[in-house]
Amino acid sequence: MNHLLWPFAAFLVPVILGLVVFQLDSFDPAPYPAKQPSQKSPPPPPAPSSNARMLHGSERIGVGRLWGPEDIAYDPKTGVIYTGCVDGWVKRVTVNESSAADSVVEDWVNTGGRPLGLALGLHGEVLVADADIGLLNVTADGRVELLADEAEGVKFKLTDAVGLAEDGVLYFTDASWKYSLNDFISDFLEGRPYGRLLCYDPNTKQTKVLVKDLFFANGVVVSPDQKFVVFCETPLRRCKRLFIKGEGKGDIDVFIENLPGMPDNIRYDGEGLFWIAFVSDYTLEWKLAQKHPLMRMVLGVMVKYGVRPEMERNGGAFAVDLEGNPVAHYHDRHSMLVSTGIKIRDHLYFGFVTSNFMLRLNLTQNPAVQTGN
């Protein structure tokens, strides 16, 4: 068999086998929207520069100490990096600039859940979107405080990402009010909008739902001018924008769509660029699954019984300017489930959903080059 057909065959065979049992299950996927509503046309062009071998020249940090370092928050005052891991620990990492392998990893605070999105607070605290518990505040001395775990009478099921505005208001996502993190793939396969964008005001201690009916609401970032919030919808490969100040306050539009990958967290680098992490390319397998609810039904049954074909590859980070125009794309066909890309000085740091390390890449030594598009 042609080696190019192997990935598809590996995907197709278990799908066919799944047909044997799917009729016995009640899992009922919905068609994804045929057209993604947008005021932007045509789709964005490819990034004008690219590094398709980001693993080449990269360095691993905290191997065996950082299990599933999903998000990364950097404190420029102390030089410390915070990341949340699958074992519940929010860890502090002091990077050795000359040798990443010699970086120091410290167990700081255990939330008792699964810390995903992180943001630095205004007074030394760390804000945590904990998938299992809710929105948390971790004080500088390590005390964990629950800020919110429900809104409009609906409990959070998968608190995902958090961003902080200069006025102290927290913007965050509940990726799905139906599925927990352990079942997140079922949210993708069902194809219904269970996600929400919310905000928490520390002055009033009130939590509000700002946008509902989102498809797996993911990464959140507040713009540097504090006028809008960008948030991602992973399966639809788009990021939307909610205006929080000015004449258009409350308006929502599409910031960027038809992305070449499936977005996770989004970070601002302080230099005019947002970095959107891609857990995967928009692979043929995902394209077919989204198009055909029957295929997702079969996959849903397979997942229920502990079997799922590998559908993700070529993860990385995609840089766009403040208007959502593509600038650069760092990726690698051997990389997948990249959850965060954040630029810190001369390096691009990557977090992962399942890997047991963080990654960093020196952008000066390994730049993205013109693609010729």
Side-chain angles (χ1 to χ4, degrees):
M1 182 183 295
N2 189 307
H3 71 282
L4 295 177
L5 297 179
W6 275 113
F8 184 66
F11 166 77
L12 190 59
V13 169
V15 169
I16 294 173
L17 293 176
L19 286 168
V20 176
V21 295
F22 89 90
Q23 293 186 39
L24 304 177
D25 199 90
S26 60
F27 187 66
D28 181 29
Y32 270 98
K35 292 184 178 180
Q36 300 172 16
S38 171
Q39 300 174 5
K40 292 190 174 185
S41 180
S49 61
S50 175
N51 179 338
R53 298 182 62 203
M54 74 176 200
L55 296 182
H56 180 75
S58 64
E59 303 171 277
R60 295 184 176 188
I61 299 172
V63 176
R65 294 291 310 280
L66 299 173
W67 290 92
E70 206 269 354
D71 196 12
I72 297 170
Y74 173 66
D75 185 349
K77 294 180 181 177
T78 63
V80 171
I81 287 175
Y82 294 87
T83 188
C85 297
V86 295
D87 54 9
W89 283 100
V90 176
K91 306 209 176 190
R92 294 196 290 203
V93 182
T94 304
V95 177
N96 186 310
E97 291 297 329
S98 59
S99 175
D102 295 326
S103 299
V104 177
V105 177
E106 172 194 0
D107 293 343
W108 181 46
V109 171
N110 197 303
T111 66
R114 187 3 172 159
L116 294 179
L118 303 176
L120 294 176
L122 300 178
H123 308 290
E125 68 273 30
V126 176
L127 306 160
V128 181
D130 189 295
D132 300 330
I133 300 175
L135 185 66
L136 307 176
N137 180 80
V138 183
T139 63
D141 59 0
R143 287 182 296 109
V144 180
E145 304 169 342
L146 176 65
L147 300 180
D149 62 0
E150 67 175 4
E152 297 184 351
V154 179
K155 281 274 192 180
F156 306 156
K157 195 75 171 182
L158 207 172
T159 324
D160 199 325
V162 59
L164 177 68
E166 290 177 355
D167 60 5
V169 174
L170 282 66
Y171 296 88
F172 66 103
T173 52
D174 181 22
S176 175
W177 55 258
K178 181 177 181 180
Y179 292 101
S180 68
L181 183 61
N182 289 336
D183 300 318
F184 82 93
I185 195 65
S186 295
D187 186 282
F188 283 42
L189 296 175
E190 184 175 336
R192 289 184 171 87
Y194 297 122
R196 300 180 290 175
L197 174 71
L198 310 98
C199 71
Y200 173 84
D201 188 332
N203 296 313
T204 64
K205 302 189 184 305
Q206 289 187 336
T207 304
K208 295 181 180 178
V209 178
L210 301 175
V211 188
K212 47 178 75 170
D213 299 329
L214 298 172
F215 289 86
F216 204 85
N218 213 318
V220 176
V221 68
V222 181
S223 66
D225 61 7
Q226 305 294 295
K227 290 184 178 179
F228 60 87
V229 175
V230 179
F231 55 97
C232 302
E233 290 181 283
T234 301
L236 294 191
R237 297 181 296 120
R238 72 180 176 194
C239 299
K240 285 180 152 181
R241 173 171 53 183
L242 169 68
F243 289 89
I244 56 176
K245 285 186 179 179
E247 253 181 52
K249 183 178 179 180
D251 290 348
I252 301 170
D253 68 5
V254 172
F255 184 65
I256 186 170
E257 64 181 346
N258 297 314
L259 288 162
M262 303 175 75
D264 198 314
N265 287 310
I266 176 170
R267 286 287 187 175
Y268 179 63
D269 67 3
E271 300 174 359
L273 295 178
F274 293 115
W275 292 85
I276 307 170
F278 286 169
V279 292
S280 172
D281 260 357
Y282 188 43
T283 60
L284 175 61
E285 295 92 329
W286 273 117
K287 189 177 298 185
L288 290 172
Q290 282 193 325
K291 186 176 181 180
H292 302 289
L294 176 60
M295 183 174 289
R296 283 185 277 121
M297 179 183 289
V298 174
L299 289 169
V301 174
M302 293 168 60
V303 168
K304 181 176 180 179
Y305 291 98
V307 179
R308 182 171 81 88
E310 187 175 287
M311 300 167 65
E312 299 85 11
R313 55 184 169 272
N314 206 35
F318 194 77
V320 301
D321 66 19
L322 297 182
E323 296 300 320
N325 300 305
V327 174
H329 189 185
Y330 289 82
H331 55 110
D332 195 292
R333 64 190 181 92
H334 296 297
S335 178
M336 64 179 184
L337 299 180
V338 177
S339 49
T340 297
I342 178 172
K343 185 176 183 293
I344 302 174
R345 295 188 296 276
D346 294 332
H347 290 86
L348 187 57
Y349 286 75
F350 298 93
F352 297 88
V353 177
T354 57
S355 296
N356 69 338
F357 55 83
M358 286 193 311
L359 203 69
R360 76 170 183 178
L361 182 70
N362 188 307
L363 299 184
T364 302
Q365 298 173 4
N366 303 276
V369 298
Q370 294 295 314
T371 60
N373 292 312

